[in-house]
Amino acid sequence: MDELREQCPWDKKQTIESLRHLTIEETFELSDAILENDLEEIKKELGDILLHIVFYAKIGSEKKAFDITTVIESLCEKLIRRHPHIYGDTIAQDEQTVKENWEKIKLKEKGNLSVLGGVPKSLPALIKAMRIQEKARGVGFDWEEKHQVWEKVEEEMDEFKSEFNAADEKEIDKEKATGEFGDLLFSLINYARFIDINPEEALEKTNLKFIKRFQYLEKSAKEAGKKIEDMSLAEMDVFWEEAKRLPGNPIK
């Protein structure tokens, strides 16, 4: 990185701000490799992210703000502080207690006025909802039983249906219906979290499943000499049902 920063025209120009969107892209590429369980690709993407970490540290050292050593030292100090059950006298015999201690220590460190102050504003909404709920749970604000959470889902579903009745042709109040739909999604994410399902992972797996089936539909239609846009829903449904019976092959 020292050599690249000195000799490469592109690397010379980069700033912390210019690297930001590239780092986000690399993180999503790592996420794709993890979802595909491609260990070789995971190795490559980890290398790309490590490059970005080294790059940021190099720029930090040029600004005399931080370097790779102080980044790692700061991380080690934080891990020691946030694991008092390992490096102190705190007792934590299960994962949930560890999480609760972590959030309480983090709150003190950052000096946030709110437990939710540490949730990044730019997180995608689904992930943000999950993190908000996890942080609230970390200080004891949570349901006690899963049936209570499901009852909340049903309550929100009824409220949404009252604003958007599929059997009713009258025009809906879109703003109110949007609000109720958001409440319904939030309650479903909460239920997923409560029963230890990651809603982001679950939705992405469904996305990939849909892509695989739709690509099979496209391929089969082409082999049959047909164009999808000219096919009826009934014709497309034949190929769709075939796709559902296929073994789980990775998407190419």
Side-chain angles (χ1 to χ4, degrees):
M1 179 52 66
D2 289 341
E3 291 176 346
L4 292 176
R5 190 70 171 161
E6 182 180 341
Q7 300 175 33
C8 175
W10 186 87
D11 288 282
K12 283 181 181 179
K13 286 186 62 177
Q14 300 315 304
T15 65
I16 285 176
E17 291 76 18
S18 71
L19 289 173
R20 175 181 173 273
H21 76 281
L22 298 173
T23 307
I24 293 171
E25 183 180 334
E26 295 294 354
T27 304
F28 277 113
E29 288 179 1
L30 172 62
S31 175
D32 286 347
I34 291 171
L35 284 170
E36 293 166 8
N37 196 28
D38 187 335
L39 296 179
E40 182 63 25
E41 199 63 26
I42 290 171
K43 180 187 73 175
K44 294 177 182 177
E45 298 302 340
L46 286 173
D48 290 343
I49 289 177
L50 179 57
L51 170 61
H52 280 240
I53 293 169
V54 174
F55 210 148
Y56 286 118
K58 175 63 178 175
I59 296 173
S61 68
E62 293 169 357
K63 294 177 177 291
K64 300 189 179 344
F66 56 85
D67 59 22
I68 193 67
T69 300
T70 55
V71 167
I72 296 171
E73 286 175 345
S74 176
L75 172 61
C76 290
E77 290 167 4
K78 180 173 71 174
L79 289 174
I80 290 170
R81 284 196 312 273
R82 294 191 185 178
H83 289 81
H85 52 292
I86 304 296
Y87 301 105
D89 300 327
T90 301
I91 297 174
Q93 296 180 335
D94 57 52
E95 178 189 3
Q96 185 55 36
T97 305
V98 172
K99 286 182 178 179
E100 291 172 1
N101 288 339
W102 181 283
E103 292 298 339
K104 290 173 184 175
I105 295 168
K106 187 175 180 179
L107 187 62
K108 289 180 182 177
E109 288 175 353
K110 290 183 175 289
N112 291 328
L113 297 177
S114 169
V115 170
L116 306 181
V119 179
K121 295 178 182 178
S122 58
L123 273 181
L126 193 152
I127 300 174
K128 185 188 291 186
M130 185 170 62
R131 292 296 292 135
I132 287 170
Q133 294 165 3
E134 288 173 345
K135 286 184 175 292
R137 183 183 185 182
V139 292
F141 187 79
D142 202 5
W143 302 94
E144 294 179 353
E145 303 291 339
K146 67 179 181 181
H147 72 83
Q148 297 172 311
V149 193
W150 185 250
E151 286 168 3
K152 184 64 177 174
V153 172
E154 293 180 322
E155 176 188 326
E156 297 295 352
M157 175 63 83
D158 289 339
E159 291 180 7
F160 173 63
K161 286 171 68 177
S162 71
E163 294 298 332
F164 180 58
N165 189 336
D168 194 337
E169 295 300 326
K170 71 178 182 180
E171 187 175 349
I172 66 169
D173 184 328
K174 190 171 181 180
E175 185 174 349
K176 289 183 69 176
T178 298
E180 295 298 347
F181 187 67
D183 291 346
L184 174 58
L185 283 178
F186 194 85
S187 65
L188 280 168
I189 291 166
N190 203 17
Y191 186 73
R193 175 192 59 81
F194 205 85
I195 61 174
D196 200 26
I197 291 174
N198 184 309
E200 167 68 20
E201 180 182 340
L203 181 58
E204 182 58 11
K205 285 183 175 180
T206 295
N207 288 339
L208 295 176
K209 180 170 61 178
F210 184 93
I211 289 170
K212 184 179 73 171
R213 291 176 181 176
F214 192 82
Q215 288 177 341
Y216 177 86
L217 166 60
E218 290 176 314
K219 177 174 174 288
S220 299
K222 186 176 181 180
E223 290 173 350
K226 299 179 180 179
K227 293 183 178 180
I228 287 185
E229 55 268 31
D230 297 330
M231 296 171 64
S232 68
L233 282 175
E235 288 175 313
M236 287 189 279
D237 194 52
V238 172
F239 293 133
W240 186 264
E241 290 299 320
E242 288 179 7
K244 288 167 66 173
R245 294 192 291 270
L246 292 174
N249 297 318
I251 298 168
K252 299 298 183 184

